[in-house]
């Protein structure tokens, strides 16, 4: 199914006991039915779903939606937009101007219910929806939060919003298989059953019973490279619609491993775009990184290179080849060149870019991430460093250094 390869892959390491969690991939059927019902209602009544959330509360859904949606169109006519992941007033103002021309539903997602970016954004958007939809506004807002705690929970109860629950033991970056990920994914017209099915197969394939499996091999190998002095892992892929999957991966590994002055710095590149930019550094700059090439073999569409009579650009030797074939060959070229340049190249390959394989891959990465953090002897599930910035920002805001605008 998923193939991991590296010439010097490490197959054995002694690791402390791993936490035995399944990331909620067994979402109960009644919840799945409710999620699909709401998704269908959104599609009937709206052409935009605005997802408000930050970090783990939106990156997973966005990664899946981008990976499983064709370029330049939607799956089902519903456009999914995102807010609450930045604090740009310009973004928010221009978003509202855009929303004015659309029929809108809102899904606000925050486990704590008190993260500054989504909380501020929701305050603005709630007022907008109420102004616009008046007594119908309550139906247009769906809250995804903790079962019991937090200000968002209290707002949801007071206003009578529909609520979906993020299980107490699942942190944001591990929450894509919970309602936090599933509602936006289902609304975007992606088959959540296939997505969860992929994750369930991955759970079987990457169980703790057999540490020869690919999740352990990947974690062992990156840990070994880290111990050899490499300080950065570059995740690279060749399909632009995987950009947000990169962002999700970056958060997953960065927030789970980067603590107590330990961990690989996770970075990402999109090829071939970045080969003409940061590619110079990768080939030839400081030797600090190894690279993990992510490749999906089968893509749903392709196009052939035409022959021309004059062959002025001298590309007739590629005439008749398909663009995806050339892209795959460029991947092999990159792997050879970077390895020769002193960059260890790991490969992760999946058969097809679809909901099933994306679910499979995300489970693989979550599992490998927990193994990796355990090898480093750090807690994969907390993020104490994120709290430090929040505290400093709050102190400054309390001191009232923000100039109030009209
Ligand atoms: O992975 C995490 O736990 C974080 O990235 C959170 O998802 C992020 O900080 C948002 O938190 P919340 O859902 O509580 O608003």
């Amino acid at each position: 199914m998923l193939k991991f390869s590296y010439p010097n892959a490490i197959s054995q390491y002694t690791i402390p006991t791993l936490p035995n969690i399944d990331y909620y991939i067994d979402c109960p059927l009644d919840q799945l039915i409710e999620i699909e019902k709401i998704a269908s209602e959104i599609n009937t009544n709206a052409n935009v779903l605005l997802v408000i959330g930050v970090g783990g509360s939106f990156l997973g859904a966005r990664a899946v939606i981008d990976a499983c949606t064709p370029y330049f169109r939607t799956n089902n006519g519903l456009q999914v937009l995102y807010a609450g992941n930045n604090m740009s007033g310009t973004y928010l103002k221009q978003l509202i101007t855009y929303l004015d021309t659309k029929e809108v539903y809102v899904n606000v997602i925050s486990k704590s219910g008190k993260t500054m970016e989504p909380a501020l954004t929701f305050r603005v958007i709630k007022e907008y929806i109420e102004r616009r939809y008046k007594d119908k506004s309550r139906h247009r807002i769906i809250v995804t939060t903790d079962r019991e705690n937090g200000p968002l929970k209290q707002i949801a109860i007071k206003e009578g919003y529909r609520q979906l629950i993020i299980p107490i033991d699942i942190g944001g970056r591990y929450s894509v298989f919970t309602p936090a990920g599933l509602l936006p994914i289902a609304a975007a017209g992606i088959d959540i059953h296939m997505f969860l099915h992929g994750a369930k197969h991955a759970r079987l394939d990457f169980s703790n019973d057999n540490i020869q499996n690919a999740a352990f091999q990947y974690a062992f190998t990156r840990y070994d490279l880290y111990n050899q002095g490499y300080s950065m892992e570059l995740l690279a892929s060749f399909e632009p619609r995987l950009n947000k999957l990169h962002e999700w991966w970056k958060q997953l590994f960065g927030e789970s491993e980067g603590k107590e002055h330990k961990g690989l710095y996770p970075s990402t590149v999109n090829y071939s775009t970045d080969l003409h930019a940061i590619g110079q550094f990768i080939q030839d700059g400081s030797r600090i990184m190894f690279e993990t090439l992510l490749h999906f073999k089968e893509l749903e569409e392709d196009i052939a290179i035409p022959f021309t009579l004059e062959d002025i650009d001298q590309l007739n030797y590629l005439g008749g080849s398909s663009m995806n074939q050339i892209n795959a060959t460029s991947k092999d070229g990159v792997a050879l060149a970077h390895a020769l340049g002193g960059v260890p190249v790991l490969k992760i390959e999946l058969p097809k870019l679809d909901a099933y394989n994306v679910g499979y891959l995300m489970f693989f990465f979550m599992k490998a991430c927990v193994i990796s953090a355990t090898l480093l002897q750090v807690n994969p599930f907390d993020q104490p460093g994120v709290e430090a910035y929040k505290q400093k920002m709050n102190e400054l805001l309390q001191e009232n250094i923000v100039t109030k605008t009209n």
Side-chain angles (χ1 to χ4, degrees):
M1 189 51 62
L2 176 149
K3 207 171 129 207
F4 168 72
S5 57
Y6 174 59
N8 304 316
I10 303 294
S11 55
Q12 285 291 345
Y13 251 113
T14 310
I15 36 170
T17 313
L18 287 168
N20 210 1
I21 56 167
D22 64 11
Y23 317 103
Y24 207 67
I25 59 180
D26 298 307
C27 186
L29 190 62
D30 57 334
Q31 267 185 40
L32 288 179
I33 291 170
E34 193 193 354
I35 286 168
E36 288 188 311
K37 211 170 125 220
I38 299 174
S40 149
E41 177 191 319
I42 294 171
N43 273 278
T44 306
N45 298 325
N47 45 21
V48 166
L49 171 65
L50 180 64
V51 173
I52 300 177
V54 71
S57 285
F58 91 109
L59 276 171
R62 189 166 190 179
V64 180
I65 292 170
D66 276 26
C68 299
T69 302
Y71 297 108
F72 315 116
R73 65 179 178 87
T74 62
N75 286 307
N76 54 6
L78 185 86
Q79 186 182 18
V80 183
L81 297 177
Y82 304 88
N85 54 64
N86 64 60
M87 287 199 275
S88 161
T90 311
Y91 183 95
L92 201 49
K93 178 82 184 156
Q94 294 181 357
L95 171 68
I96 288 174
T97 306
Y98 180 75
L99 294 181
D100 271 338
T101 64
K102 305 285 176 192
E103 289 301 330
V104 186
Y105 261 61
V106 175
N107 181 202
V108 51
I109 308 168
S110 176
K111 187 168 179 202
S112 64
K114 57 182 182 197
T115 308
M116 180 70 91
E117 292 88 339
L120 279 178
T121 302
F122 182 54
R123 188 183 263 235
V124 174
I125 293 293
K126 178 176 182 291
E127 190 198 51
Y128 167 74
I129 294 286
E130 282 167 357
R131 199 166 359 103
R132 190 166 155 197
Y133 290 104
K134 312 233 163 15
D135 57 336
K136 304 270 185 304
S137 61
R138 190 167 63 85
H139 301 289
R140 295 208 164 236
I141 296 174
I142 292 112
V143 168
T144 308
T145 190
D146 184 74
R147 181 177 299 280
E148 285 175 4
N149 299 312
L152 183 59
K153 179 77 192 173
Q154 288 166 23
I155 296 173
I157 294 171
K158 177 175 168 287
E159 301 289 358
Y161 296 145
R162 272 170 294 174
Q163 296 169 45
L164 295 170
I165 305 304
I166 307 177
I168 189 145
D169 51 346
I170 307 286
R173 58 193 176 275
Y174 297 93
S175 71
V176 70
F177 301 118
T178 76
L182 295 181
L183 178 62
I185 293 169
I190 294 157
D191 187 339
I192 52 174
H193 299 276
M194 287 312 285
F195 177 62
L196 292 173
H197 196 46
K200 284 177 194 169
H201 270 184
R203 175 173 60 188
L204 282 177
D205 289 353
F206 306 129
S207 92
N208 292 353
D209 301 339
N210 164 28
I211 64 164
Q212 299 299 316
N213 72 51
F216 281 87
Q217 304 270 299
Y218 172 51
F220 290 164
T221 302
R222 58 197 299 287
Y223 181 62
D224 186 63
L225 289 164
Y226 174 70
N227 285 332
Q228 286 177 39
Y230 293 97
S231 53
M232 180 188 285
E233 178 178 8
L234 267 185
L235 182 71
S237 51
F238 291 74
E239 200 56 42
R241 69 164 76 155
L242 297 176
N243 289 4
K244 296 300 173 199
L245 190 77
H246 285 183
E247 294 303 309
W248 171 84
W249 173 89
K250 207 154 63 179
Q251 187 213 0
L252 176 67
F253 279 90
E255 232 173 30
S256 300
E257 284 193 305
K259 45 199 76 157
E260 299 171 28
H261 298 181
K262 299 183 205 172
L264 286 158
Y265 181 84
S267 187
T268 60
V269 279
N270 300 292
Y271 293 153
S272 62
T273 312
D274 286 323
L275 289 171
H276 299 268
I278 201 73
Q280 167 60 37
F281 189 107
I282 299 166
Q283 186 68 44
D284 218 14
S286 316
R287 300 298 71 190
I288 53 174
M289 68 188 74
F290 67 91
E291 189 174 35
T292 301
L293 293 183
L294 175 63
H295 179 58
F296 289 85
K297 275 169 126 173
E298 191 187 325
L299 302 157
E300 79 271 24
E301 285 190 281
D302 201 356
I303 194 160
I305 307 296
F307 288 97
T308 65
L309 218 50
E310 303 85 354
D311 196 23
I312 296 171
D313 53 11
Q314 298 188 356
L315 289 174
N316 264 358
Y317 75 102
L318 293 173
S321 303
S322 87
M323 204 72 176
N324 286 345
Q325 283 168 348
I326 297 170
N327 202 18
T329 308
S330 89
K331 170 183 68 70
D332 297 339
V334 163
L336 289 171
H338 288 178
L340 282 174
V343 178
V345 179
L346 287 51
K347 290 183 191 165
I348 294 171
E349 197 171 79
L350 290 110
K352 190 174 178 188
L353 183 46
D354 60 11
Y356 172 90
N357 281 288
V358 171
Y360 190 99
L361 177 68
M362 289 175 107
F363 187 94
F364 164 83
F365 276 139
M366 286 184 193
K367 180 80 193 227
C369 183
V370 170
I371 301 167
S372 296
T374 309
L375 285 163
L376 286 171
Q377 299 188 7
V378 296
N379 180 350
F381 305 115
D382 67 0
Q383 54 278 332
V386 181
E387 299 310 313
Y389 116 82
K390 287 186 193 167
Q391 194 186 328
K392 286 292 166 210
M393 177 178 69
N394 284 336
E395 282 169 18
L396 291 175
L397 289 170
Q398 302 287 351
E399 281 168 25
N400 228 350
I401 63 153
V402 178
T403 310
K404 291 203 169 124
T405 54
N406 298 328

